[in-house]
Amino acid sequence: MMIPHRWTRPEAIDVCLEALATGRVHGVSPNHDPDLLAWNSTFAQNGLGPHAMVRDWGLFEAHFVDRRCEFFMVQAHRMKKPPKWKRLLPHLEQYGLAPGAFTAPDHEYHRVVASDSEVCVDSTTGRVMKITVPATPPLPRTGAPLPRNLPRDIRAVATGPRSAWDRWLDRRPVTDWPSYPGLLSNLHRDHPAQRETWTAFGLWLLDRARAVWPADEWAWRWSRFVLDRPGTVPAGTVAPVCLAALPLTRAEAAELPRDWRGRTPSEIRNSRMTLALLRNAALDVPAPPVDPELAAWRPLMRGVG
């Protein structure tokens, strides 16, 4: 599959750069309303089972689970001549590139810190193959390997007496904190019969995380946890927490440069986090009465994220 005729090569390369630098395609983020990308455009829609689907525009795809976009995928390998990574690199260096996080046979991977987008580069040709743009906002990564016994320890302590939880956590190094959300999700997936146990332990752990993570990061992780487990907190609880932690004010959002090249790394990071929190606020299940603060954000959300 080649680039559809509506993209010239410079335009296609710009799609790659924007996706890497900002986590957006044509100004649209995975956290925007999924129907934004459907307006006035042609795409193929394919189901991947009862809950997942893909919308495919040729050069890029939007991947959904239960009507919620989880990530974009820029399929640069579909270009007749994919851009070389070294040609894109000078345009991206100001956004803070993480070195290749890992390599696979014949490929290397790099992440842009400001957007959390990841690029797959063919190590033989040096050409960009794919770019993954997650809905997850940029979150700190330690780069350290997961402690070998941590999954087993979490499972054991979560099913043990609650009186032992604090002692266990006091013995764990602070470098373990970024690993906890993923490990909790694994427990829910791999041992569904004990979901009530994992949820109780997760809520307790997230409560302790307030003193560890920045306010916006904590609000996003907490709201994502409870939204994925309907009934964990009363309806209408999520939106106020997310709105209180927004890293951008409405005035700051209105002043964001429309051209992505004019946005600084901190503006990109804060913009992505703001939209992710607004999305979680809007997903409060069941929907609360329209929050005046959330309603005031709606005219600005197209330029955020």
Side-chain angles (χ1 to χ4, degrees), residues 103-169:
T103 58
D106 303 322
H107 293 86
E108 60 186 56
Y109 296 81
H110 304 272
R111 182 174 60 91
V112 179
V113 174
S115 66
D116 213 37
S117 296
E118 187 175 83
V119 59
C120 173
V121 180
D122 186 299
S123 56
T124 302
T125 64
R127 296 190 182 278
V128 173
M129 295 289 99
K130 295 177 181 284
I131 298 168
T132 305
V133 179
T136 304
L139 299 170
R141 300 189 189 184
T142 63
L146 182 70
R148 186 176 59 181
N149 295 328
L150 186 56
R152 184 193 65 191
D153 289 349
I154 282 189
R155 184 179 178 184
V157 73
T159 54
R162 190 162 187 151
S163 58
W165 290 0
D166 279 306
R167 293 195 303 274
W168 170 83
L169 188 59

Side-chain angles (χ1 to χ4, degrees), residues 173-195:
V174 70
T175 52
D176 284 354
W177 277 100
S179 304
Y180 294 150
L183 292 174
L184 287 170
S185 295
N186 292 344
L187 287 172
H188 278 81
R189 181 196 63 208
D190 299 337
H191 307 281
Q194 294 177 288
R195 281 178 178 162

Side-chain angles (χ1 to χ4, degrees), residues 52-72:
M53 72 173 186
V54 176
R55 285 178 176 167
D56 189 343
W57 284 262
L59 180 58
F60 73 95
E61 303 165 344
H63 291 247
F64 297 83
V65 176
D66 292 327
R67 287 286 300 169
R68 189 170 75 192
C69 187
E70 297 296 338
F71 63 93
F72 290 166

Side-chain angles (χ1 to χ4, degrees), residues 222-236:
W222 175 85
S223 59
R224 189 70 271 142
F225 184 86
V226 299
L227 285 171
D228 286 341
R229 297 157 183 83
T232 302
V233 298

Side-chain angles (χ1 to χ4, degrees), residues 209-226:
R210 280 179 177 268
V212 178
W213 291 328
D216 55 359
E217 181 182 342
W218 178 85
W220 186 85
R221 291 190 185 276
W222 175 85
S223 59
R224 189 70 271 142
F225 184 86
V226 299

Side-chain angles (χ1 to χ4, degrees), residues 2 24 32 36 44 52 82 110 119 140 165 188 197 239 247 271 275 298:
M2 303 303 178
R24 305 193 304 173
H32 278 119
L36 272 179
H110 304 272
V119 59
W165 290 0
H188 278 81
T197 299
S271 180
L275 184 59
R298 285 178 179 167

